[in-house]
Amino acid sequence: SVAKLHAHFWQRDDLAEQFWLLPLEIDARMRSELMRRSKDRFRTMFSGSGAAGLDAYLMELEVSAVSLCHELSAGPRTLLHCDLRLDNLFFRDDDVLFIDWQLVRHGNPSNDLAYLLSSGLNGAASAEPLLAQYHASLVSAGIMSWSLLDLMADYKKALRIVLMNLSCVDQIDLGNGRGTKLLEVWIERLRLRLMADSPLS
């Protein structure tokens, strides 16, 4: 379903023509700076849910976050949901309905994939079989310009961008406790995804 959504808007010129539809990387420098300011608080808030195991990634992101965002922007572009997690999906028979489009932008599709898989996929096994299925669906829709190898390379970068964004959670209201619990689970799952799919070299 995600591949079908992405394929419909794949490389469409009119994405950039909508004044309200911003490119995902437009605020990369600001988000990187927020991460620098928030990372210590992030470690303290989520020390029991995997955040401590992300220190090396955070240190790397201090240097590479902005360049990673711009590297991803050089890849294919499509409409991005930007909050693609199970809370925002409804299932009806064989259809998947996407809700809550308030963060919509355009950019590299791997951003949506990393967001969805890091939040919804538990366990340390690689996500490669799911990414291969997504890629096969793109090919079935006539998208031949993004190889599976390129997809995997972009997805590994996008996982790190998810960490950059999550590390700024002290900037938002997490609500009545459910928000904090959701983030604890997500951070642990993201740690497993990074270790399995995007290990540090």
Side-chain angles (χ1 to χ4, degrees):
S1 295
V2 177
K4 184 178 179 180
L5 167 69
H6 286 166
H8 182 75
F9 292 96
W10 198 266
Q11 298 288 66
R12 278 177 43 169
D13 293 336
D14 57 343
L15 291 176
E17 295 170 2
Q18 313 306 316
F19 73 91
W20 51 269
L21 187 59
L22 298 174
L24 184 62
E25 66 278 3
I26 194 170
D27 58 357
R29 193 169 299 280
M30 180 185 73
R31 286 187 288 145
S32 175
E33 181 58 31
L34 285 174
M35 178 201 69
R36 289 189 183 92
R37 296 179 184 183
S38 298
K39 66 182 188 306
D40 292 336
R41 175 70 175 146
F42 170 74
R43 291 187 184 105
T44 301
M45 288 174 67
F46 299 101
S47 59
S49 55
L54 295 170
D55 281 347
Y57 287 97
L58 289 168
M59 289 175 61
E60 180 198 57
L61 280 167
E62 286 192 70
V63 176
S64 66
V66 175
S67 61
L68 281 177
C69 289
H70 289 295
E71 286 172 26
L72 286 172
S73 73
R77 304 191 77 80
T78 189
L79 189 74
L80 298 178
H81 185 283
C82 290
D83 195 12
L84 197 58
R85 52 193 172 87
L86 293 176
D87 273 4
N88 291 331
L89 304 179
F90 282 99
F91 301 90
R92 183 180 62 194
D93 299 324
D94 292 330
D95 294 326
V96 179
L97 308 179
F98 303 86
I99 67 165
D100 193 3
W101 286 87
Q102 64 179 341
L103 300 179
V104 63
R105 291 193 178 187
H106 65 89
N108 191 305
S110 66
N111 289 288
D112 270 352
L113 300 175
Y115 204 92
L116 177 62
L117 294 177
S118 67
S119 62
L121 187 61
N122 200 10
S126 172
E128 188 167 350
L130 291 172
L131 295 170
Q133 183 179 353
Y134 167 90
H135 186 262
S137 297
L138 281 184
V139 171
S140 295
I143 308 299
M144 308 289 187
S145 56
W146 199 34
S147 71
L148 181 56
L149 286 177
D150 288 339
L151 183 162
M152 288 297 301
D154 285 353
Y155 162 74
K156 291 175 181 180
K157 296 172 186 175
L159 278 177
R160 298 173 190 224
I161 300 306
V162 172
L163 174 59
M164 177 182 74
N165 295 334
L166 290 188
S167 69
C168 303
V169 294
D170 65 325
Q171 307 288 329
I172 61 174
D173 180 5
L174 294 176
N176 60 6
R178 181 180 183 271
T180 301
K181 181 60 179 175
L182 185 151
L183 263 296
E184 288 174 351
V185 172
W186 192 346
I187 290 161
E188 173 58 17
R189 289 179 176 181
L190 174 59
R191 184 183 68 81
L192 294 172
R193 292 272 54 78
L194 284 163
M195 291 173 63
D197 298 330
S198 187
L200 291 166
S201 55

